[in-house]
Amino acid sequence: MTWPPLREELRGIEPYGAPQLDVPVALNVNENPYPPSAAVVADIAAAVTDAAATLNRYPDREFTELRKGLAEYLNADGGRGIGPDQVWAANGSNEVMLHLLQAFGGPGRTAVSFAPTYSMYPEYARDAMTAWVAGRRHEDFAFDLEHAHEVIDEHRPSVVLLPSPNNPTGTALPHDVIGTLCTMLSGHGGEDGLVVIDEAYAEFRREGTPSALELLGDHRNLVVTRTMSKAFALAGARLGYLAAAPEICDALRVVRLPYHLSAVTQATASAALRHADELLANVAELRAERDRTVAWLRERGFEVADSDANFCLFGRFDDRHAVWEGLLHRGVLIRETGPDGWLRVSIGTAEEMAAFRAALLEVAS
Ligand SMILES: *Cc1c(COP(=O)(O)O)cnc(C)c1O
């Protein structure tokens, strides 16, 4: 007799999550290290106070005002004429991803990604009873279109999930790869498969790196997800969103829980959007700090993957766990993730990165 009566495939599985440790320098979950300013805090607090006065009622199920704000924001960052009916939001882009798999995956269907890729995807696939297949990337983490073609032909996925910039490598996808994937997936067995480009880190992309939002008008099966958790410095609010064809957004309404975005969440996110410029003000500094970190690591002989994100993957270490632990002993928490031999460090403030460099020099010597 097994207790509790858990689904067979969930037995013995540990809940996923990066260690939440109390350390002086936390560079492990790609947060924006800069807290909101006093002015932004005051405006969010005022918006939440207004919302609090209505908390006896259920919130706006269609989050109308928030959708308008998100569409406007996207149109200022690569989107072209995206309307509120092309926007969907949920409690973090992780929930957006789960909605996508609940609606477009399911029993008898397959979701595909190409490793190294975001480690949460297989968990959502499992939770949505969707088969999971991971192909691979090139040795240098570039996308291998030929291999992707083979995997897609063999498995005929209903959803392909790809972060761009990729987590954990930082690699962005070129437009022609995204366009080719959308074409490959369209009309597959009479049905379109969706290509989901997870742009959680899009705001950190380097000069000249495009956003998949620019391609939305060309491919009805393209979905671009974003989040307020990273560049937007709002991880604690839990707000993720996507842009896609109106039919796709409409379908997601079927699987969401009733009133899934609380009045407090909607008020917080809408207030934050009104301060987008301010909240994003540190992105330029973080990008510069990222480029400095990559250069510094390379000068010291480390291998570093090119990064369009607010983190970098570096190595290689015979015993990466020992390096991770050595840094932790010196008060610097990074992430033991990615292919064996590599570690990932999020970009923090200049002081935090100085602490990281000093600790790494000690540990590596
Ligand atoms: C951090 C991250 C997200 C964001 O998750 P939220 O639920 O929006 O906080 C999404 N995708 C990837 C690849 C990430 O690294």
Side-chain angles (χ1 to χ4, degrees), residues 265-277:
T265 300
Q266 293 184 43
T268 303
S270 288
L273 279 167
R274 291 195 290 272
H275 293 275
D277 290 348

PDB file of all heavy atoms in Angstrom, residues 265-277:
ATOM      1  N   THR A 265      -2.831  41.607  -7.723  1.00  0.00           N
ATOM      2  CA  THR A 265      -1.825  41.380  -8.778  1.00  0.00           C
ATOM      3  C   THR A 265      -2.052  42.322  -9.953  1.00  0.00           C
ATOM      4  O   THR A 265      -1.107  42.938 -10.468  1.00  0.00           O
ATOM      5  CB  THR A 265      -1.898  39.917  -9.274  1.00  0.00           C
ATOM      6  OG1 THR A 265      -1.646  39.054  -8.166  1.00  0.00           O
ATOM      7  CG2 THR A 265      -0.895  39.651 -10.368  1.00  0.00           C
ATOM      8  N   GLN A 266      -3.308  42.438 -10.381  1.00  0.00           N
ATOM      9  CA  GLN A 266      -3.598  43.304 -11.528  1.00  0.00           C
ATOM     10  C   GLN A 266      -3.245  44.750 -11.231  1.00  0.00           C
ATOM     11  O   GLN A 266      -2.652  45.449 -12.061  1.00  0.00           O
ATOM     12  CB  GLN A 266      -5.075  43.196 -11.915  1.00  0.00           C
ATOM     13  CG  GLN A 266      -5.450  41.825 -12.472  1.00  0.00           C
ATOM     14  CD  GLN A 266      -6.899  41.765 -12.954  1.00  0.00           C
ATOM     15  OE1 GLN A 266      -7.382  42.688 -13.607  1.00  0.00           O
ATOM     16  NE2 GLN A 266      -7.595  40.689 -12.636  1.00  0.00           N
ATOM     17  N   ALA A 267      -3.597  45.204 -10.032  1.00  0.00           N
ATOM     18  CA  ALA A 267      -3.304  46.594  -9.658  1.00  0.00           C
ATOM     19  C   ALA A 267      -1.796  46.825  -9.592  1.00  0.00           C
ATOM     20  O   ALA A 267      -1.283  47.846 -10.067  1.00  0.00           O
ATOM     21  CB  ALA A 267      -3.947  46.918  -8.310  1.00  0.00           C
ATOM     22  N   THR A 268      -1.095  45.868  -9.012  1.00  0.00           N
ATOM     23  CA  THR A 268       0.365  45.988  -8.887  1.00  0.00           C
ATOM     24  C   THR A 268       1.029  46.054 -10.259  1.00  0.00           C
ATOM     25  O   THR A 268       1.861  46.923 -10.531  1.00  0.00           O
ATOM     26  CB  THR A 268       0.927  44.778  -8.108  1.00  0.00           C
ATOM     27  OG1 THR A 268       0.290  44.725  -6.839  1.00  0.00           O
ATOM     28  CG2 THR A 268       2.432  44.890  -7.927  1.00  0.00           C
ATOM     29  N   ALA A 269       0.645  45.124 -11.130  1.00  0.00           N
ATOM     30  CA  ALA A 269       1.283  45.049 -12.446  1.00  0.00           C
ATOM     31  C   ALA A 269       0.957  46.287 -13.285  1.00  0.00           C
ATOM     32  O   ALA A 269       1.836  46.836 -13.965  1.00  0.00           O
ATOM     33  CB  ALA A 269       0.852  43.780 -13.168  1.00  0.00           C
ATOM     34  N   SER A 270      -0.298  46.744 -13.231  1.00  0.00           N
ATOM     35  CA  SER A 270      -0.660  47.930 -14.010  1.00  0.00           C
ATOM     36  C   SER A 270       0.092  49.161 -13.507  1.00  0.00           C
ATOM     37  O   SER A 270       0.558  49.983 -14.305  1.00  0.00           O
ATOM     38  CB  SER A 270      -2.172  48.189 -13.946  1.00  0.00           C
ATOM     39  OG  SER A 270      -2.843  47.217 -14.721  1.00  0.00           O
ATOM     40  N   ALA A 271       0.214  49.284 -12.182  1.00  0.00           N
ATOM     41  CA  ALA A 271       0.966  50.420 -11.628  1.00  0.00           C
ATOM     42  C   ALA A 271       2.424  50.337 -12.052  1.00  0.00           C
ATOM     43  O   ALA A 271       3.039  51.338 -12.435  1.00  0.00           O
ATOM     44  CB  ALA A 271       0.843  50.438 -10.103  1.00  0.00           C
ATOM     45  N   ALA A 272       2.993  49.149 -12.018  1.00  0.00           N
ATOM     46  CA  ALA A 272       4.396  48.977 -12.406  1.00  0.00           C
ATOM     47  C   ALA A 272       4.597  49.349 -13.873  1.00  0.00           C
ATOM     48  O   ALA A 272       5.588  49.988 -14.234  1.00  0.00           O
ATOM     49  CB  ALA A 272       4.839  47.535 -12.155  1.00  0.00           C
ATOM     50  N   LEU A 273       3.618  48.965 -14.730  1.00  0.00           N
ATOM     51  CA  LEU A 273       3.744  49.288 -16.155  1.00  0.00           C
ATOM     52  C   LEU A 273       3.777  50.801 -16.389  1.00  0.00           C
ATOM     53  O   LEU A 273       4.437  51.282 -17.304  1.00  0.00           O
ATOM     54  CB  LEU A 273       2.586  48.676 -16.950  1.00  0.00           C
ATOM     55  CG  LEU A 273       2.750  47.196 -17.302  1.00  0.00           C
ATOM     56  CD1 LEU A 273       1.434  46.628 -17.801  1.00  0.00           C
ATOM     57  CD2 LEU A 273       3.848  47.006 -18.357  1.00  0.00           C
ATOM     58  N   ARG A 274       3.057  51.535 -15.535  1.00  0.00           N
ATOM     59  CA  ARG A 274       3.083  53.001 -15.670  1.00  0.00           C
ATOM     60  C   ARG A 274       4.472  53.546 -15.360  1.00  0.00           C
ATOM     61  O   ARG A 274       4.798  54.662 -15.731  1.00  0.00           O
ATOM     62  CB  ARG A 274       2.032  53.635 -14.740  1.00  0.00           C
ATOM     63  CG  ARG A 274       0.596  53.360 -15.168  1.00  0.00           C
ATOM     64  CD  ARG A 274      -0.395  54.277 -14.453  1.00  0.00           C
ATOM     65  NE  ARG A 274      -0.539  53.970 -13.035  1.00  0.00           N
ATOM     66  CZ  ARG A 274      -1.403  53.074 -12.540  1.00  0.00           C
ATOM     67  NH1 ARG A 274      -2.200  52.398 -13.361  1.00  0.00           N
ATOM     68  NH2 ARG A 274      -1.480  52.855 -11.250  1.00  0.00           N
ATOM     69  N   HIS A 275       5.269  52.758 -14.670  1.00  0.00           N
ATOM     70  CA  HIS A 275       6.641  53.180 -14.339  1.00  0.00           C
ATOM     71  C   HIS A 275       7.677  52.355 -15.092  1.00  0.00           C
ATOM     72  O   HIS A 275       8.806  52.189 -14.617  1.00  0.00           O
ATOM     73  CB  HIS A 275       6.881  53.029 -12.835  1.00  0.00           C
ATOM     74  CG  HIS A 275       6.076  53.960 -12.008  1.00  0.00           C
ATOM     75  ND1 HIS A 275       6.471  55.257 -11.735  1.00  0.00           N
ATOM     76  CD2 HIS A 275       4.877  53.808 -11.416  1.00  0.00           C
ATOM     77  CE1 HIS A 275       5.551  55.841 -10.983  1.00  0.00           C
ATOM     78  NE2 HIS A 275       4.574  54.994 -10.782  1.00  0.00           N
ATOM     79  N   ALA A 276       7.298  51.841 -16.262  1.00  0.00           N
ATOM     80  CA  ALA A 276       8.185  50.929 -16.991  1.00  0.00           C
ATOM     81  C   ALA A 276       9.579  51.530 -17.180  1.00  0.00           C
ATOM     82  O   ALA A 276      10.593  50.864 -16.923  1.00  0.00           O
ATOM     83  CB  ALA A 276       7.563  50.567 -18.332  1.00  0.00           C
ATOM     84  N   ASP A 277       9.620  52.790 -17.601  1.00  0.00           N
ATOM     85  CA  ASP A 277      10.929  53.404 -17.886  1.00  0.00           C
ATOM     86  C   ASP A 277      11.834  53.362 -16.667  1.00  0.00           C
ATOM     87  O   ASP A 277      13.021  53.053 -16.763  1.00  0.00           O
ATOM     88  CB  ASP A 277      10.752  54.852 -18.345  1.00  0.00           C
ATOM     89  CG  ASP A 277      10.135  54.917 -19.730  1.00  0.00           C
ATOM     90  OD1 ASP A 277      10.067  53.853 -20.388  1.00  0.00           O
ATOM     91  OD2 ASP A 277       9.700  56.017 -20.136  1.00  0.00           O
TER      92      ASP A 277
END
